[in-house]
Structure formats: structure tokens, C-alpha cells
Amino acid sequence: MRIGRRLEALLISPLLVAMLGFIVFPVLVLFGYSLFAWLYVQPQGDPTLNNYIQVLTDPLYRTIAVNTLLIGIPTAALSVAGGYVLAYYIVFGGSTWRGIVLVLVVTALMASFLVRIYAWRTLLGATGVVNSILAGLGLVDRPVEFFAFSKLAAVIAEVSVFLPLAALTFFAALSGVSPDLRGAARDLGASRLQALRRITIPLTGPAILASTALIFFLSAGDFITPVFVGGVESVTVGIVIANAFGVIGNFGMGAALSFLVLLAFVLVYAGLRAGMRAGNFLPERTGQP
Amino acid sequence: MSNRPLQRPDGVISRRHFLYIAGGTVAVTAGASVLAACGASATPTPTTAPTSSPTTAPTTAPTAAPTGAAPTPTAAGGAKWAPTCETTEGKMALYSWAGYEGPEVPEMQAFWKEAGISLDFKEVSAVNMVTFMKAPGAENWDAFTVNQGDNNYYNAQGIMSEITIDEVPNLAKMYPLVKDNSIWKIRDGVYNAIPWTIGPLGINYIKGKIEDIKSYNQVLDAKFRNRVGCFDDPLNMISTGACAVELDPGKLTRDELNGPVKDWLMKLKPQLKVLSPSLGDQLTLLVQGDVDIQLVGLLWNIPQGKEQGVDCVFVYPEEGTYGFVDSVAITPWAPNRCAALAYANAVMTPQTAGPLNASIMGIGPTDEINAAVDPAVRDLYPKDIEKDFFGAMKWNVSYYDPAGPYATIEEWNKVWNDVKTAG
């Protein structure tokens, strides 16, 4: 049934009001913060772009950006790849274990985020489970240091959190791919790999794009994981923003950094989308919304 | 058969009309809720305390009892705990660090009861205290805890009232180095806060696990590479660096900050393995064996380590170290100033202040209080507190004026970030 524009507007207005009040307005306030110098939770002087200029010109922030990418990119890549494989197995696999795997994936998401990150500290630490097993087997005579408090540890911890999320997203997307399409491709001579590459993946392309972008944004913006398991080498943009707001009260710098990160995310998303289109990982546009 | 279109019976609402009504109701309800929420949160910040620039004097707080008559002791013990008040009964809102109200100290619990105070205690971390003091609702505060580093700034913001020796008589008995220190003293007999608990920061390690550590510079030894932890906080780490090169963190110039202090921290960087998000996390890492040494160490970690079965050592580094002095400040607009004064007197009275300080491994600003501190804690400090502790310790101060002679907390943060991200 088609509904009129007025009714459409009326029905969507509660959501619009909520979005304006809880998302748009606070973001505008934050943008306002970024245009002032701050002296411990108080704006000073006239509006200025100095915060943005400082972030763009200071080498410190380049290093922080690199650290962020060195954690965010592997996390997104491994989570998406691993999640896709897991979801593919759950949807198309022939084993009776599929249901159990799905339950395990869902269960993994139920535990608190902070608890899961802290658990990795215990698992990977000097006296943790991994080092204890290695020492018990006589494979090492002192704890392996780089397991914990390193970029590797941060990536491992974040993948453990985001992979189930990706798997569930792909489970929904793959469930919508008709087996007939894959069957038809095989009938026409395509190998399993060709069917995957030219039929299944393009049909789930939007889900791949959304998952990759979402996981990258969440990982790059995360500051809890680098703080707890990332060690000295994992000073990321999330930590710096948290410090700006919470430690030194420079709301302006924190806000400016936040907006520049937001801009970077938009560019990353656009680039990812363009790249996936160029590689035929997204379905062709048909003119339908 | 009739060709007339079907008509809706009278009184029956069509589906379209129902959707109109439902959507309109939801929109109105949501809009009203948003407006109501905005109105409820728009509580104005206190207007009785002007926000002053750093050069103006703080607001003078009322000190006289409401009736002007000489106070007489009441059943709630008002005059005992607050000589200029008739009564101390009522609710008191205190924002402070965890444990500072003495939840497990019988003497403090007895005090709250005797003074007739119903305590509304909110735990706030140091980094959030300033944000809270600027937020709506701050007008409900009676008192809060302030670290010596922030004293001057908070005072300049007009959120600390003057407290006289008439109101807290034991202020007169403080060690001279505290009593005459301009961090707290406004003029003779008048203070901006009551400095009641004091402690050092130094180095922690597990006894027997590594060689005995005696100095900050010993931590730079190659054998401790990637085995050192610290608190990820610019205030404490720059103070550590300043002490390590024997400079005063309370008077650190920009040249000193970007010169010898930063150089020392850069040498420290390869030794660091973990940057802890909190002081408590540092002990956890030490106990778990992830690090061997913790900078920004506390005496507090000794009993905490014992509870976890390890012999944690605290060291006063040879180069000298810095300490903390936490004070109770009373807001100029305190709804129950008398209760706040009672608390201020309690933390300066030996019978209550001694056990309270012992519970947090601190000492007090007077000989009488320190004589009442548990000997097990008292022995962790030098015998001659005035000479060997107050005379030797350094105290950091957070500066916020970019035109001032000393480096600001923001400049400290920049240097610490540079050190953390250095390759």
C-alpha cells in the first residue's frame, strides 16, 4: 500500500526528532567546541581553526594516525575474512556442527566487552595461560613478551571481539543468497571458487562493505583495548582524544581530533566502496533504490 | 446491484485515520519528552560564586553562625566539630576519592553519627573533578577533595571558600612548611582548603625478584629494558622526570620541561612496557609479573600487595621525589557549611584523623595526628617528618596560564605524548 508524503513525514518524525536531539545537535555542539582554544574546560577568546591546524601539522599526530591504522586495518581485514568464512560454513556447510558454531558465535557476543579485553591480558600475560603452557611443555625458558602489551595483542583482542559481529552480519547476508544461483553457476561450468568470486561475494558485497567499514571505525576509535593490552607502542587516536577531554580539559583539541577522524572515516568508506566496485565485489547498479 | 461506493459506517475509524492519529500522538509525545528533558537538565550553575580570572581574589565565605550568638554544644555535638556553628546536623554532599570518607574506619563512622551528618558521598576521580565542578548540579556540593597541584587553579575559579583558624583550630598546629605554604594559605589565619592527608610517590617493586632499586636513574639500566611500568598520566610522569633530573616539578619552566626532563623520559621510553590506565592497575601488573618495576609507586601498594601474597617494596628514590597533599575544600555556596566544617575538623583531629590517614597509608600535617597514626604506617615515613619529609619532598603544581613563567599542564601533556609516540 502506498502512503502519502504527509503520512510518511508524520510517521518518521519521532525518529527525526530523536536523531536531531541526540545525534545532530550534540555533534554541532562538539563542532563548536573545536573552534575555540580551551583553558581547562573553559573556552577562550574568538573562534579559531588553530586546533585543526595543530593536528594537521604536528608530527605527533601523524605517528598516532599510523599507530591507529596499524591496529585498525589488520583488525578489520582479519575480522571480515574470518567472519565470512565462519558464516559461509554455518550457512552452506554440510556438517551437523553448524548449529553449534552459530550458538558459539552468538554466545561470544554476550560477554561484556571490557571483561573480554581484560581476559586477553590474563591469557597472554607473563604468567598467563599461553606462557604457562609453553613453559610447561618446555618450549620456552622465560615468558614470551610480545604476546601481551603490543600491537599484536591489541589486534588479537579486537579480532576476538569483532569477528563474531562480522560473522553474524554475513550469516544474515549469505542466508539471503539463493542456492539456486550457485547451482546455476556450477551448471554453467563455473568452479566452486568462480561461483564464490562471481556470484556469492558480489551478492553479499554490501554486507562486506558495511562490515569492513564498521569494524575499521570501531577498531580505530577504540581506546580501551590499546590501553589494556596495547602497551607503550599502541598510543592511538582514541587514547589521545580521551586524554584531551578527561585529563587536560582541552575540549577544543579533543573535538577537532574527533572531527578530523570522522572526515578520515568518510574518506576511507568512500575509497573502500570505490575499490570494491572497481574489483566487482559489489553488485551492479540497477536503478532501483 | 447499487453502484454507490461502499461507505464507512458512522463512528468507525478507517485505517488511514488510525495511522494519522497514532503518528501524531507519537510525534507529540516524543517532542514533549525531548523538551522536558532539556528543561530538566538546564539547571543553572551556581551564581553565588563568580568565576574569576586567575588574578582576582576568591569569594569570601560566610563564617558566622546564623544567629550570631555564641555557639553552644548541642546533642549533635555541633560546637565540638564546628566551633562557629550551633549545629552540624543535616545532609552533607562530599565529592572525593575512594575511601576518603573512611568507610571502614570505626572512628570516622562514629564521627558521622556523633555530628549528626547524613553523608552523600560521591566518588570522583581527580581528572573528572574539574568537569564536575563546572556542570549543573555543582551547587549541591558542600565539600570536595583537591590535590595540591590543582589548589591554585580551583581557588582562582572561585569554588573554594576561605576557612579560618577559628573554624578549624588545628590549622594552627600544622608543620610550618604546610602552615605557611601559599598553596593553601591565603593570609595569616585564613586558608583555602584543609590539607589533611599527605603521601609520597616513588618506586614499587617485588622484594627478592630483582636487585634493590634505590634511584630513578637505576631504572634506566639495560637489564630493565621492557620491564618497567608506569601510570599513563602527564602530571605524574613529568613530575617523575623532573625529580629524576633533580628539578622542582612545582616550578618547571618550558626550557626545563623540553630539555632535561624530556631527555630523561626519552631514555626511560625503551624501559617501559605498559602504561597503566590507573594507579591500582600498576600493582596488578607487578603481581602478575608483567613488569618488574612500577614508577609512580605508592605506599598503598605495600598492604595491597600483602593481600595478594607478594612483598611489595616502596622506595624513596635517591634523587628525591614528589608527594601529594590532598585537602578538603568547602564551596562558597555550601548548603550545609557547618557539616562541611565538621568534616574539616574531623580530618584535623587526632582521634579521627589518625585512623583515617592510616587506612589510606597517609600521614597528617600535625605532630598530634601523626602520633595517632598506626605505627605500622607511621614507620614507613621518616622519623623527623618536618625535616626529612616535608623538607625533602617536592610538590607538583598544575599551571594553566600559557603566558606564565612555568609550563602549563597542556605543555606537560604534549611532552608526555611525544615521549609515548617516540620510536
Side-chain angles (χ1 to χ4, degrees):
Chain A
M1 147 188 137
R2 287 186 65 83
I3 57 174
R5 284 191 183 278
R6 260 190 270 178
L7 179 60
E8 199 176 282
L10 202 59
L11 289 173
I12 209 145
S13 56
L15 179 62
L16 266 178
V17 167
M19 280 185 67
L20 281 170
F22 300 130
I23 298 175
V24 175
F25 182 66
V27 168
L28 289 175
V29 168
L30 201 65
F31 182 68
Y33 282 5
S34 73
L35 296 176
F36 289 89
W38 286 68
L39 193 64
Y40 218 106
V41 305
Q42 286 188 309
Q44 309 286 316
D46 297 324
T48 171
L49 290 176
N50 281 346
N51 291 322
Y52 290 97
I53 292 169
Q54 191 180 341
V55 172
L56 291 170
T57 55
D58 192 333
L60 166 72
Y61 297 101
R62 272 201 289 281
T63 308
I64 289 167
V66 168
N67 283 346
T68 306
L69 290 173
L70 286 176
I71 293 174
I73 293 175
T75 297
L78 291 171
S79 299
V80 166
Y84 201 91
V85 167
L86 207 54
Y88 196 94
Y89 169 74
I90 294 170
V91 175
F92 299 123
S95 157
T96 51
W97 287 94
R98 293 184 299 149
I100 295 172
V101 172
L102 179 61
V103 167
L104 288 174
V105 167
V106 172
T107 307
L109 288 168
M110 289 181 184
S112 151
F113 173 76
L114 193 57
V115 167
R116 280 188 280 166
I117 298 301
Y118 215 92
W120 280 107
R121 235 201 204 190
T122 309
L123 284 168
L124 300 175
T127 53
V129 172
V130 172
N131 270 312
S132 298
I133 291 174
L134 291 175
L137 293 173
L139 296 172
V140 296
D141 53 8
R142 52 179 295 158
V144 179
E145 297 286 349
F146 67 81
F147 282 160
F149 309 112
S150 60
K151 285 195 186 66
L152 173 65
V155 171
I156 291 173
E158 286 190 353
V159 168
S160 77
V161 170
F162 296 128
L163 190 148
L165 205 64
L168 274 187
T169 309
F170 294 136
F171 171 73
L174 287 167
S175 297
V177 174
S178 170
D180 295 341
L181 292 173
R182 293 164 60 240
R186 295 298 306 279
D187 289 344
L188 290 169
S191 65
R192 278 187 207 273
L193 204 58
Q194 282 175 319
L196 173 70
R197 167 72 180 85
R198 298 185 64 180
I199 304 296
T200 311
I201 287 180
L203 285 175
T204 54
I208 295 173
L209 173 65
S211 279
T212 308
L214 181 66
I215 291 172
F216 175 74
F217 299 162
L218 290 174
S219 167
D222 183 16
F223 80 96
I224 300 233
T225 311
V227 161
F228 274 107
V229 297
V232 179
E233 59 185 58
S234 302
V235 179
T236 59
V237 70
I239 294 173
V240 176
I241 292 174
N243 273 355
F245 278 104
V247 177
I248 59 171
N250 190 345
F251 288 8
M253 178 57 71
L257 207 42
S258 302
F259 274 98
L260 287 171
V261 167
L262 181 64
L263 181 64
F265 284 171
V266 169
L267 293 173
V268 163
Y269 179 81
L272 202 58
R273 194 156 178 255
M276 286 184 72
R277 261 199 211 290
N280 290 324
F281 288 108
L282 284 176
E284 289 174 10
R285 291 192 184 113
T286 60
Q288 288 179 356
Chain B
M1 182 187 291
S2 167
N3 286 329
R4 283 189 312 155
L6 290 173
Q7 297 290 328
R8 186 175 71 247
D10 289 341
V12 176
I13 298 175
S14 70
R15 185 170 60 181
R16 177 175 292 188
H17 277 103
F18 174 76
L19 289 173
Y20 269 124
I21 293 165
T25 304
V26 170
V28 167
T29 306
S33 302
V34 169
L35 287 171
C38 289
S41 67
T43 312
T45 49
T47 54
T48 54
T51 303
S52 54
S53 71
T55 56
T56 61
T59 311
T60 303
T63 56
T67 63
T72 53
T74 67
K80 173 186 172 186
W81 294 111
T84 54
C85 292
E86 274 197 6
T87 178
T88 56
E89 280 185 345
K91 184 187 132 179
M92 178 190 137
L94 173 65
Y95 279 72
S96 187
W97 321 146
Y100 274 30
E101 83 284 25
E104 291 172 19
V105 179
E107 292 83 352
M108 279 304 291
Q109 296 309 307
F111 152 72
W112 295 116
K113 203 171 167 187
E114 186 184 333
I117 296 173
S118 163
L119 179 65
D120 178 9
F121 180 81
K122 283 192 176 42
E123 191 183 313
V124 177
S125 63
V127 298
N128 287 324
M129 185 67 79
V130 173
T131 316
F132 270 63
M133 78 180 176
K134 295 288 180 185
E139 70 278 7
N140 296 322
W141 293 3
D142 290 295
F144 60 94
T145 294
V146 54
N147 178 262
Q148 89 286 341
D150 292 321
N151 240 72
N152 289 343
Y153 179 74
Y154 282 30
N155 197 32
Q157 294 299 304
I159 66 162
M160 297 163 75
S161 65
E162 292 185 354
I163 305 171
T164 68
I165 280 180
D166 289 338
E167 293 174 306
V168 184
N170 281 347
L171 283 170
K173 297 179 182 176
M174 290 196 293
Y175 299 115
L177 282 170
V178 183
K179 189 168 150 209
D180 297 321
N181 195 312
S182 60
I183 291 177
W184 302 282
K185 182 180 172 182
I186 297 172
R187 52 186 180 279
D188 283 346
V190 181
Y191 294 82
N192 59 35
I194 312 297
W196 66 272
T197 188
I198 301 139
L201 292 124
I203 300 175
N204 283 135
Y205 63 94
I206 307 292
K207 194 170 181 63
K209 198 174 173 199
I210 57 173
E211 67 194 51
D212 284 344
I213 303 291
K214 291 184 171 36
S215 70
Y216 282 126
N217 284 292
Q218 193 178 348
V219 175
L220 301 182
D221 197 308
K223 67 166 88 74
F224 297 125
R225 192 180 178 94
N226 208 36
R227 297 304 303 161
V228 179
C230 71
F231 181 28
D232 186 8
D233 172 60
L235 184 68
N236 281 285
M237 288 313 298
I238 299 297
S239 298
T240 298
C243 291
V245 295
E246 298 183 31
L247 290 171
D248 185 354
K251 292 177 182 165
L252 205 61
T253 65
R254 289 174 182 86
D255 285 342
E256 288 170 341
L257 172 67
N258 290 289
V261 174
K262 189 173 181 180
D263 289 344
W264 189 86
L265 289 170
M266 286 296 194
K267 287 184 202 159
L268 176 69
K269 173 75 191 294
Q271 314 299 88
L272 294 175
K273 183 176 177 186
V274 191
L275 305 173
S276 286
S278 68
L279 291 168
D281 185 57
Q282 291 187 262
L283 178 65
T284 304
L285 292 166
L286 210 53
V287 168
Q288 287 179 343
D290 289 299
V291 296
D292 292 329
I293 298 169
Q294 282 286 11
L295 300 177
V296 196
L298 294 169
L299 282 171
W300 171 261
N301 287 336
I302 297 174
Q304 295 296 307
K306 264 204 184 76
E307 282 186 21
Q308 300 187 51
V310 295
D311 188 1
C312 183
V313 175
F314 175 85
V315 170
Y316 292 82
E318 282 173 349
E319 298 93 343
T321 191
Y322 65 108
F324 64 86
V325 181
D326 293 332
S327 310
V328 60
I330 300 175
T331 57
W333 56 78
N336 192 349
R337 182 181 172 82
C338 287
L341 283 171
Y343 174 62
N345 274 293
V347 298
M348 290 294 285
T349 301
Q351 295 91 312
T352 35
L356 181 61
N357 266 297
S359 72
I360 52 176
M361 306 296 284
I363 53 167
T366 73
D367 269 335
E368 285 180 355
I369 291 173
N370 292 327
V373 171
D374 188 321
V377 173
R378 177 66 184 86
D379 289 345
L380 296 170
Y381 291 83
K383 283 214 169 356
D384 188 340
I385 287 201
E386 195 170 344
K387 174 169 153 290
D388 296 328
F389 186 76
F390 287 107
M393 295 295 286
K394 300 171 188 174
W395 315 98
N396 56 27
V397 177
S398 299
Y399 295 101
Y400 298 91
D401 181 5
Y406 302 122
T408 63
I409 186 65
E410 185 148 345
E411 288 164 315
W412 284 32
N413 187 54
K414 172 76 169 57
V415 167
W416 180 232
N417 273 341
D418 284 341
V419 170
K420 284 196 294 183
T421 53

